[in-house]
Amino acid sequence: MRSVAHLLAKCLLAVLALTTGLTAAQAACTAPTITYVLGNKLEVDQLYPVIRTASMSDYDQSMAVAASIQYYLQNTLVRDRITDACNLQVTPLGEQGYQVTFQSAQAQAQSYVQRHPAWLKTGQLGLAGVQACQNSPERNCWEPKGQDANGNALHCVGPWQFYLPLGLPMQAQKMVMLLHYPPYTAMQQSDYLNNATLNRWRRLLVSVGVAPDDWTLYTTTVDIFPIAAPGSGQSGCFTTENAVKYWGASGSGYIPAMLQSLTQRATPRTGLPVIVFGKEATGYWNTVYPDQPTGVLKAGTVALDPQAPNRKSAYSGANHPIAAVYQSCPGLLTTVGQDLASACFAKKMGDTPDADPVAVQAACHDAYLGAHLAPAQAQQLCMNAVIDKSPQFAPWDTTRAKAWCKAHGNQACPLPDYGNSKP
């Protein structure tokens, strides 16, 4: 009798058959077939999250990993704008790994033959850093206990689990996000973007003019800690020192290798822009690139690949994407203005990576933090502030926030009485 894990894997593959569109129309798909192998099996099995049980057979595990690869790859294909992909299938090949097959007539789809295995090879460096962290003799890296460097009690809530930013664009991205660590809920839901942090980033991008269908092009992520953990209570647990030690160039090399890979463009002179979000990621950046330090709305250029010193990427610092929801008036408006300016920088530099990042950031700053805001920018500032502070389980939508801001001259502070106010 097959195990429960096998049945679960079969069910997931059945769901994938629906999400990948294995319909009669796709069965007749005549686009060229693209095939490549992800291997070896032992390495690949460690990179994709599956539920493993003591009774799981090798067959069951292979089926579960294949289903996980297929699910995340389908998301990447969609977010990379491979719109005609059909008949996606991932097949276990024993110890050789997993064979990926799909059909697409789009030219960029063929790049997956090299791009996907190379991305996973870089991801292996993330796992190496995690293993070094877990085996650290100081025992101050993996779910540390006691106090931080300032004598504050640590509350390093578990469980922690290695988790790469799977399912995101690998080749069509317009920028790269440098973040702290992924929330555990993202792994539980098998979607890196389905969490409050990225949902708010989406709202900011759309506010500054990014088309709603294009926002995922601004979400390709490198975490300085590729470890899924609960989304709160982790202050002091993931330190800049450990990020540099275990995942920096002197450790496994995961962070610099992933940044180099994901910012590469066809031009030999300019890479894709990077936005550094939050205190911890900024601490990592300023430690590794002391000659190109950043902070909130501080932009510049940096050579991310030592082997290509003339290829420069624009960068800028930003607040953590969810930080504003913890602010109150009047500081809330400053934080929201900074966040909109960061989204503005992402859009403009994503559209024109060869532009001067300092000038672009200055223009975005003036648009959302200047002394005299244009009506459209004042409205976006008000709307986002109102939505940020609306109840977590009954948040205001943009229509209601827009009506309230119009009625109050785009003055968000004092904020609405969310329990009683009407638009």
Side-chain angles (χ1 to χ4, degrees):
M1 177 181 289
R2 298 294 190 191
S3 71
V4 172
H6 166 71
L7 295 176
L8 288 173
K10 292 273 287 184
C11 289
L12 181 53
L13 285 170
V15 171
L16 285 168
L18 296 176
T19 60
T20 55
L22 297 181
T23 62
Q26 285 195 314
C29 177
T30 59
T33 298
I34 296 168
T35 301
Y36 56 93
V37 174
L38 301 175
N40 62 42
K41 180 182 186 299
L42 179 61
E43 291 181 352
V44 176
D45 285 357
Q46 294 174 310
L47 299 180
Y48 282 91
V50 299
I51 299 174
R52 294 181 173 88
T53 65
S55 61
M56 182 179 281
S57 69
D58 291 343
Y59 175 85
D60 293 336
Q61 177 170 308
S62 295
M63 290 293 291
V65 172
S68 183
I69 295 170
Q70 188 167 327
Y71 181 83
Y72 282 110
L73 180 55
Q74 173 64 24
N75 280 340
T76 292
L77 287 165
V78 170
R79 291 163 179 168
D80 260 340
R81 298 295 188 267
I82 311 297
T83 56
D84 70 338
C86 55
N87 295 335
L88 171 62
Q89 186 173 5
V90 179
T91 307
L93 296 177
E95 295 306 312
Q96 296 178 5
Y98 299 85
Q99 179 175 282
V100 176
T101 302
F102 65 94
Q103 292 173 259
S104 173
Q106 294 181 225
Q108 62 268 38
Q110 187 61 42
S111 69
Y112 273 59
V113 174
Q114 292 81 34
R115 190 74 167 171
H116 192 183
W119 189 90
L120 283 185
K121 203 68 178 177
T122 303
Q124 192 72 31
L125 300 176
L127 176 61
V130 166
Q131 292 169 337
C133 171
Q134 291 172 326
N135 297 324
S136 170
E138 295 90 356
R139 311 302 298 172
N140 68 343
C141 181
W142 190 263
E143 296 185 9
K145 310 297 181 185
Q147 298 179 330
D148 64 16
N150 298 318
N152 300 312
L154 290 173
H155 301 284
C156 302
V157 182
W160 289 10
Q161 186 168 331
F162 170 63
Y163 185 45
L164 290 174
L166 299 163
L168 302 182
M170 289 193 297
Q171 62 176 21
Q173 63 271 17
K174 289 180 173 290
M175 59 158 281
V176 175
M177 306 177 74
L178 189 66
L179 287 168
H180 192 195
Y181 69 94
Y184 196 76
T185 54
M187 186 177 66
Q188 288 176 310
Q189 299 172 35
S190 301
D191 188 350
Y192 194 93
L193 301 184
N194 189 10
N195 57 77
T197 297
L198 276 302
N199 287 337
R200 184 172 183 271
W201 179 234
R202 171 175 55 185
R203 171 158 49 86
L204 293 167
L205 290 167
V206 174
S207 294
V208 302
V210 172
D213 290 341
D214 289 345
W215 81 279
T216 58
L217 299 177
Y218 301 82
T219 60
T220 293
T221 298
V222 178
D223 292 299
I224 63 172
F225 285 85
I227 299 171
S232 61
Q234 304 295 327
S235 179
C237 302
F238 296 113
T239 65
T240 295
E241 178 184 11
N242 280 341
V244 174
K245 180 176 181 180
Y246 294 102
W247 291 276
S250 60
S252 72
Y254 167 75
I255 303 171
M258 196 64 89
L259 284 174
Q260 291 169 28
S261 171
L262 293 173
T263 57
Q264 286 184 0
R265 297 171 62 227
T267 170
R269 301 288 297 179
T270 308
L272 292 176
V274 178
I275 298 185
V276 185
F277 291 88
K279 177 179 67 176
E280 291 82 5
T282 299
Y284 170 86
W285 183 277
N286 291 345
T287 299
V288 175
Y289 306 107
D291 296 332
Q292 293 87 23
T294 193
V296 177
L297 305 187
K298 184 175 181 180
T301 59
V302 63
L304 294 171
D305 186 353
Q307 304 303 315
N310 294 324
R311 182 192 297 127
K312 300 293 183 72
S313 286
Y315 68 85
S316 183
N319 299 305
H320 191 278
I322 204 66
V325 303
Y326 301 105
Q327 303 293 318
S328 57
C329 284
L332 169 67
L333 296 183
T334 298
T335 304
V336 173
Q338 291 170 340
D339 294 349
L340 286 167
S342 293
C344 167
F345 179 86
K347 181 182 186 304
K348 291 183 180 297
M349 291 306 304
D351 290 342
T352 55
D354 298 317
D356 177 0
V358 175
V360 169
Q361 189 65 93
C364 289
H365 174 280
D366 290 347
Y368 292 97
L369 293 159
H372 303 287
L373 301 188
Q377 280 68 44
Q379 182 185 73
Q380 290 299 338
L381 180 63
C382 177
M383 288 171 57
N384 278 280
V386 167
I387 293 171
D388 282 336
K389 299 305 291 184
S390 63
Q392 179 181 1
F393 299 106
W396 282 26
D397 59 21
T398 55
T399 299
R400 188 174 188 186
K402 184 176 181 179
W404 188 93
C405 289
K406 182 178 180 180
H408 292 80
N410 290 327
Q411 299 299 313
C413 294
L415 290 161
D417 178 351
Y418 292 101
N420 301 313
S421 64
K422 295 181 180 180

